Amino acid sequence: MPQRLTPLEVSVLALDTARTPGHVGGVDVLEPGSAGFDHERLLALVGQRIALAPRYRQRVRSVPARLAGPVWVDDEDFDLAFHVRRAALPRPGTEEQLRELAGRVLARRLDRSRPLWELYLVEGLADGRVALVTKTSLALVDGVDTVALDQLLFDPVAGAGGTDDRLPALRSGAGGSSWHPEPAPTPAELAVGAIWENVTDPVQAVDNLRGALADALGVALAVGETVGGVPGLVGGIAGDALRGRRPDPSGLLAGEVSEQRRVATVALPLADLRAVRDEHGHTVNDVVLAVLTGALRAWLLTRGESLSGSSGLTALVPMSVTDDGGEPSALGSGVAPHRQRLPIGEANPLVRLHQVAYGTRAHKDTGRSVAARSLADLAGFAPSTLHALGVRASLTAGRRPSDLLVTNGPGPQHALAADGARLVASYPLLPLAAGHLLSIGVTSYDGEVFVGLLADRDAVRDLDVLAGCVADSLDELLDTTAGRGSVVRQPTRKASAAAQRAAARKAAQRQEASRRVAGQRRAAVRLLAARAAELGAAGRAERPAGGPGPRPPRPRPTAPPPVLPDDPEVTP
């Protein structure tokens, strides 16, 4: 009998609509070796490795009359070239163009009639680099039978200090070319099997009932989203029954989600976050959350939002726990949802850090937390799997709404490669739930911390400003350390030409980001000053002729922003 989808996986598929696609994605930037890295090499590598994860060759098959939840069956028409696709950027192949492509790819739903994953090889990047844009259904990656594709494709670079204790079949690719699909069950066999399960297994019968109900609610949700009107109201009720209440529409990060997405990325030196950690006695995860809190605060202020000292956001931050504390997996730990308050109303960066650390202490005090080092030592590139499990865990977080989803996947601190192509950056991209306009994924790898921001394209047009605020927020925390300054590893004289180019590229990116953010700051200050002048003129026009009226409160002096004469975007 084929394996049946769990009630959670059925709910994932039910919530997968045109406006809220249920897949997790990522952008991996690779530097090909001397042998190059093209579509044919990627096809051969994927064909070899997916032998270890049979579900990548399976599709979802419904049971007649919804007598039970759907099942996984082998795709008899499996076409690897359909899933491993090829794309190219026009010149000059900038990171902005890559982000634009990733946003368009992740906005589209996966084809439900085929295995639920896609992988794009993007060529034409500057400096001869290539990128992989991944898209995998949350129903596919459960951490037990199936891990994320990234975890199968990447191996430690020889001499980089990492080890890989996966099965020898990973190298031999046993079964990669000799795979033959199992015959699909007939509708009658599926119906008889469902009835037999319902009669002989009461626990499975309850799961089948839950799966059938979730499937029916998913149909109502999809129809309501497409038609609108009264069916749309019914679909909204069905969606709330599946995922819990939506966030308050008046929330700072709440709104109606469209069918389009926008992507932004940020790279931070891990040494800087560790410097803050060592100075104040917290964890790197605490520092990451504090950095994001400060960035969200600064970003919301540039949007004209009014924040008081008690303002805060509720983030859903899935945490790794021992197997008995969350959804089980084959990674040696589970993932459980954790609600974390982000104190965006606090102006002092150090106080923000302490408040965030106090919020995560509740998870640490349970005794079920898993050290980041244990997760980083997992074979392959485990962060991709951890992000998928984190999003799945967020669906079990109960009925209380949250403002945004944040996942943090610690990765190996040594270099990885896919068939000789070195991985230089990996940005996780998380899906948006209904009513949520922003999600944030964080991955640490080889001395860097990569932040992936995914937002609704129509509602969040200034996502690049938030990306710049992330780097600024880290600088604020670094100012609280004794040895102020970014600790950047410089390549030695014996470093390869590729390593020297990578270091130079990162330095140029940091400089360009600083210049861009400074220009955006000056533009925001001028906009606020112009708006204040308009309000002042309007107030004088409305003042009664009999007298000057009460004097407005005297504004507090503020330091002018730094002026960079060579800023290409904004002229001082």
Side-chain angles (χ1 to χ4, degrees), residues 128-146:
R129 295 172 297 153
V130 298
L132 300 180
V133 178
T134 60
K135 184 167 65 169
T136 309
S137 172
L138 294 170
L140 189 67
V141 179
D142 60 0
V144 179
D145 296 311
T146 308

Side-chain angles (χ1 to χ4, degrees), residues 59-75:
R59 62 183 180 88
V60 176
R61 175 86 177 272
S62 299
V63 175
R66 291 193 175 87
L67 295 173
V71 296
W72 296 103
V73 298
D74 288 347
D75 184 7

Side-chain angles (χ1 to χ4, degrees), residues 366-572:
T366 62
R368 297 183 291 120
S369 60
V370 178
R373 183 180 297 276
S374 300
L375 299 174
D377 289 340
L378 295 172
F381 193 65
S384 300
T385 302
L386 295 173
H387 289 300
L389 295 180
V391 180
R392 283 169 62 108
S394 69
L395 301 176
T396 66
R399 318 309 292 177
R400 290 184 298 165
S402 59
D403 294 301
L404 79 161
L405 174 65
V406 179
T407 63
N408 184 6
Q413 296 307 307
H414 54 263
L416 300 177
D419 196 16
R422 187 186 185 103
L423 177 65
V424 297
S426 180
Y427 300 99
L429 299 172
L430 312 181
L432 298 181
H436 293 77
L437 300 178
L438 175 69
S439 65
I440 304 177
V442 182
T443 292
S444 59
Y445 160 70
D446 197 21
E448 299 280 344
V449 175
F450 301 101
V451 183
L453 308 172
L454 184 77
D456 182 84
R457 185 178 184 87
D458 296 336
V460 184
R461 300 179 182 273
D462 56 346
L463 191 62
D464 58 331
V465 177
L466 175 58
C469 290
V470 172
D472 283 352
S473 180
L474 177 56
D475 283 340
E476 284 185 327
L477 285 172
L478 281 172
D479 286 338
T480 67
T481 61
R484 172 64 176 98
S486 177
V487 182
V488 181
R489 295 182 302 172
Q490 299 294 334
T492 63
R493 293 182 178 180
K494 296 183 179 180
S496 64
Q500 294 177 357
R501 289 196 304 270
R505 182 170 60 251
K506 290 179 181 178
Q509 290 171 355
R510 293 191 187 96
Q511 183 179 10
E512 178 62 26
S514 299
R515 295 171 62 185
R516 182 171 63 252
V517 170
Q520 291 165 347
R521 278 179 167 177
R522 291 196 296 273
V525 169
R526 286 198 297 270
L527 179 62
L528 292 175
R531 181 58 177 162
E534 292 176 1
L535 293 175
R540 289 192 296 271
E542 295 176 359
R543 187 175 301 167
R551 293 183 61 184
R554 186 174 184 179
R556 298 175 59 186
T558 57
V563 177
L564 297 180
D566 58 344
D567 193 318
E569 297 184 6
V570 179
T571 302

